[in-house]
């Protein structure tokens, strides 16, 4: 099936009962350590929707987008990262939840995301120093020292967190999780990957503290464990709490695989319900280029070598995220036991009912991500990270307005969309999500 055919088929009705669901392991329910059951193995990974309204409030557009995804058949829908502090955003258009002021809209969002027996989990995050200067001149971090490399100038020098501020942020994670549960979200995912604040604490490069939050791995992981324990206490033992963690940062001297496995085991002992495996930092993003399907074919499913290493070491379910484009790869990964859930992001911004197509219709094609380009080489080069992210945000925005994704949209329109919606701030490099 070619790309355009996938595009025009989106939202077409699917003939009911075409095939039995027992035929694929992707359709099998999974019971999490907390006792909660999810209906199948599709784990829609977090994608910042960039749809927040004034003051970082959720909107009617979130409701429509998640209703579409819930209708599409995934077992779990993880929201885009929701910030615990509206003065500390990771990118323009983030939702922030600090208190109950938006409870009604959060309720509507959660209700839409849990239709058709789907789970809807809120991803909770603090960006630390990865908060662009255009929206935050005063970022916070475990230690001073800005973002390295060519993008460094887009981030202000962070202030080192005091103990009091660390305690405040831990309390904020717990508060956001408690409100998520009250609003009807059926789980939460703590974002500890992709170079954000918790990842900064874990990284020996970014964390040069001399107190109990720095130095040894045990100390660097303390912030994550404190956040996890506070969130668990806020939501109770029977509510899913997942953690998105880097397999490794992909930077010499950064948080590495041995360390990641150690952290995973400790999280398992603390009662985590699922570990969403990702990776990378600013220096080496997962969405490396705008290469689309050609890049996908070269890379295959991300982090499989790491997942093979972890297999047998953990009993907690894993969601391997990145690079899943077809049922054959998904089934192989489940059969091999290297993952228990299929973490999938970009394809669901193009084919929101991909889970139903694969489980109910046994569609055996491959979702071909297009190469996103403005057609102007220097522009492509200057905005490569933003280009791809903005293009997918534009597709989510279309679904949120009741339109179909449109694969013909070019990179220039995506950049203009980002500019129109978020102003010049959108042209600072957003975090490069899901890095390897
Ligand atoms: C537009 C966009 C926004 C993203 N936002 C987030 C996010 O908020 N939190 C997160 O953990 N990952 C985020 N990611 C990364 C994805 O969750 C995922 O790790 C990455 O896209 C690789 O998976 P895929 O190959 O299935 O797309 C984002 C990716 C895209 C394309």
């Amino acid at each position: 099936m070619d790309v355009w055919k996938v595009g025009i088929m989106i939202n077409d009705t699917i003939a009911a009962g075409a095939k039995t669901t027992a035929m694929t392991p992707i359709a099998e329910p999974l019971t999490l350590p907390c006792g909660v059951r999810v209906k199948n193995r599709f784990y829609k990974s977090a994608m910042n929707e960039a749809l927040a309204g004034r003051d970082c409030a959720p909107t009617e557009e979130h409701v429509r987008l998640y209703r579409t995804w819930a209708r599409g058949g995934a077992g779990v829908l993880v929201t885009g990262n929701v910030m615990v502090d509206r003065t500390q955003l990771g990118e323009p258009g983030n939702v922030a939840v600090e208190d109950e002021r938006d409870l009604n809209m959060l309720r509507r969002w959660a209700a839409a995301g849990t239709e058709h027996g789907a789970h809807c989990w809120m991803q909770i995050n603090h960006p630390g120093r990865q908060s662009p200067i255009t929206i935050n001149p005063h970022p916070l971090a475990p230690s001073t020292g800005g973002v390295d490399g060519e993008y460094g100038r887009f981030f202000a020098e962070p202030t080192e967190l005091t103990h009091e501020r660390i305690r405040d942020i831990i309390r904020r994670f717990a508060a956001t999780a408690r409100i998520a549960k009250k609003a009807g979200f059926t789980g939460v995912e703590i974002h500890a990957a992709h170079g954000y604040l918790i990842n900064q604490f874990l990284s020996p490069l970014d964390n040069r503290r001399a107190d109990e939050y720095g130095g040894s791995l045990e100390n660097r992981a303390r912030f994550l464990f404190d956040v996890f324990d506070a969130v668990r206490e806020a939501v109770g033992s029977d509510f899913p709490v997942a953690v998105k963690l880097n397999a490794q940062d992909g930077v010499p001297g950064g948080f590495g695989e041995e360390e990641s496995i150690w952290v995973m085991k400790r999280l398992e002992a603390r009662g985590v319900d699922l570990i969403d495996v990702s990776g990378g930092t600013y220096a080496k993003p997962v969405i490396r280029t705008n290469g689309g399907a050609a890049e996908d074919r070269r890379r295959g499913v991300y982090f499989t070598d790491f997942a093979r290493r972890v297999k047998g070491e953990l009993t907690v379910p894993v969601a391997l995220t990145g690079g899943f484009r077809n049922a054959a790869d998904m089934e192989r990964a489940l059969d091999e036991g290297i993952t228990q859930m299929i973490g999938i992001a970009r394809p669901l911004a193009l084919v929101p009912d991909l889970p139903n197509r694969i489980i109910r219709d046994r569609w055996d094609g491959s979702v071909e991500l297009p190469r996103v380009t403005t057609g102007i080489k220097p522009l492509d080069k200057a905005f490569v990270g933003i280009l791809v992210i903005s293009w997918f945000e534009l597709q989510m925005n279309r679904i949120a307005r009741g339109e179909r994704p449109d694969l013909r949209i070019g990179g220039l329109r995506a950049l203009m969309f980002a500019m129109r919606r978020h102003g010049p701030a959108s042209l600072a490099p957003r975090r490069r999500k899901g890095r390897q």
Side-chain angles (χ1 to χ4, degrees):
M1 173 170 290
D2 66 29
V3 175
W4 175 233
K5 279 192 200 135
V6 171
I8 56 173
M9 278 179 60
I10 286 161
N11 290 345
D12 282 353
T13 315
I14 291 163
K19 294 260 168 57
T20 158
T21 55
M23 290 168 70
T24 170
I26 312 167
E28 278 174 25
L30 179 74
T31 301
L32 301 171
C34 67
V36 162
R37 201 170 106 119
V38 299
K39 68 177 180 178
N40 64 45
R41 305 307 176 97
F42 270 106
Y43 189 83
K44 184 236 146 240
S45 291
M47 277 188 285
N48 176 45
E49 309 85 9
L51 289 173
R54 274 188 60 194
D55 277 341
C56 308
T59 61
E60 203 56 51
E61 292 168 314
H62 288 96
V63 175
R64 218 174 287 127
L65 176 60
Y66 281 78
R67 176 166 294 131
T68 307
W69 272 328
R71 199 188 301 140
V76 178
L77 304 174
V78 182
T79 68
N81 58 175
V82 168
M83 299 294 153
V84 299
D85 181 344
R86 51 177 42 76
T87 71
Q88 303 290 317
L89 303 182
E91 52 271 320
N94 284 157
V95 171
V97 174
E98 300 176 0
D99 49 39
E100 297 189 9
R101 74 183 83 173
D102 296 317
L103 193 59
N104 283 343
M105 193 46 94
L106 286 170
R107 284 197 162 121
R108 287 175 44 71
W109 182 5
T114 51
E115 286 180 11
H116 305 278
H119 268 268
C120 190
W121 298 357
M122 182 186 284
Q123 188 186 57
I124 306 177
N125 194 18
H126 188 298
R129 68 182 190 177
Q130 270 182 201
S131 184
I133 195 166
T134 42
I135 51 176
N136 180 12
H138 305 296
L140 303 165
S143 306
T144 53
V147 174
D148 295 331
E150 54 176 320
Y151 287 112
R153 68 184 190 283
F154 291 103
F155 300 90
E157 169 75 24
T159 304
E160 180 173 308
L161 285 163
T162 59
H163 273 118
E164 200 186 336
R165 282 185 129 157
I166 289 176
R167 275 195 300 276
D168 174 61
I169 294 173
I170 294 168
R171 191 192 53 72
R172 283 171 178 274
F173 269 91
T176 306
R178 184 189 60 74
I179 296 165
K181 182 177 180 187
K182 184 168 179 181
F185 289 90
T186 54
V188 291
E189 179 178 89
I190 297 166
H191 198 346
H194 299 174
Y196 290 96
L197 181 62
I198 298 178
N199 196 173
Q200 288 159 34
F201 269 96
L202 289 169
S203 160
L205 290 178
D206 300 341
N207 179 351
R208 295 178 309 283
R209 300 178 72 94
D211 62 6
E212 72 270 31
Y213 287 104
S216 66
L217 175 58
E218 182 133 24
N219 281 357
R220 282 181 276 122
R222 191 179 308 281
F223 180 66
L224 167 60
F225 296 155
D226 285 356
V227 166
F228 178 83
D229 292 348
V231 166
R232 176 56 85 200
E233 200 185 324
V235 296
S237 58
D238 55 357
F239 192 77
V241 180
V243 171
K244 188 161 183 172
L245 192 69
N246 276 358
Q248 31 105 348
D249 290 347
V251 194
F255 182 62
E257 290 196 357
E258 292 300 332
E259 296 190 320
S260 180
I261 293 170
W262 183 88
V263 170
M264 286 178 182
K265 285 183 179 166
R266 297 291 292 262
L267 285 170
E268 179 175 271
R270 288 184 125 79
V272 75
D273 286 293
L274 178 140
I275 295 174
D276 181 358
V277 175
S278 196
T281 74
Y282 249 83
K284 218 174 173 205
V286 103
I287 304 175
R288 285 184 196 153
T289 70
N290 59 353
E295 181 180 348
D296 282 340
R297 272 191 290 276
R298 272 197 309 278
R299 291 178 62 186
V301 176
Y302 308 167
F303 312 113
T304 42
D305 291 345
F306 177 77
R308 283 195 185 105
R309 279 193 67 187
V310 168
K311 184 185 158 191
E313 300 234 20
L314 294 176
T315 54
V316 65
V318 162
L320 192 59
T321 293
F324 282 111
R325 306 290 180 253
N326 57 64
D329 284 348
M330 297 174 192
E331 288 172 355
R332 198 172 309 116
L334 291 172
D335 286 342
E336 203 189 324
I338 59 171
T339 192
Q340 285 67 51
M341 297 286 292
I342 302 296
I344 180 164
R346 283 166 290 175
L348 293 179
L350 300 182
V351 192
D353 63 346
L354 185 66
N356 279 341
R357 285 170 192 242
I358 287 180
I359 291 175
R360 296 213 307 231
D361 299 354
R362 303 307 309 276
W363 182 67
D364 64 356
S366 205
V367 178
E368 304 249 306
L369 302 187
R371 193 177 106 77
V372 181
T373 170
T374 60
I376 305 163
K377 263 196 185 149
L379 264 189
D380 283 0
K381 197 158 175 267
F383 293 113
V384 63
I386 302 156
L387 192 60
V388 177
I389 296 295
S390 304
W391 193 86
F392 281 96
E393 285 173 357
L394 174 53
Q395 303 297 352
M396 286 188 276
N397 185 278
R398 289 179 64 83
I399 303 171
R401 285 184 283 115
E403 293 170 5
R404 294 177 176 198
D406 185 349
L407 288 132
R408 292 167 304 181
I409 288 174
L412 209 50
R413 227 173 108 191
L415 287 184
M416 276 157 42
F417 159 81
M419 270 288 281
R420 247 196 341 268
R421 195 149 170 119
H422 308 299
S426 61
L427 297 187
R430 252 67 71 65
R431 62 46 193 306
R432 302 180 188 179
K433 288 115 183 166
R435 301 144 191 217
Q436 187 174 30

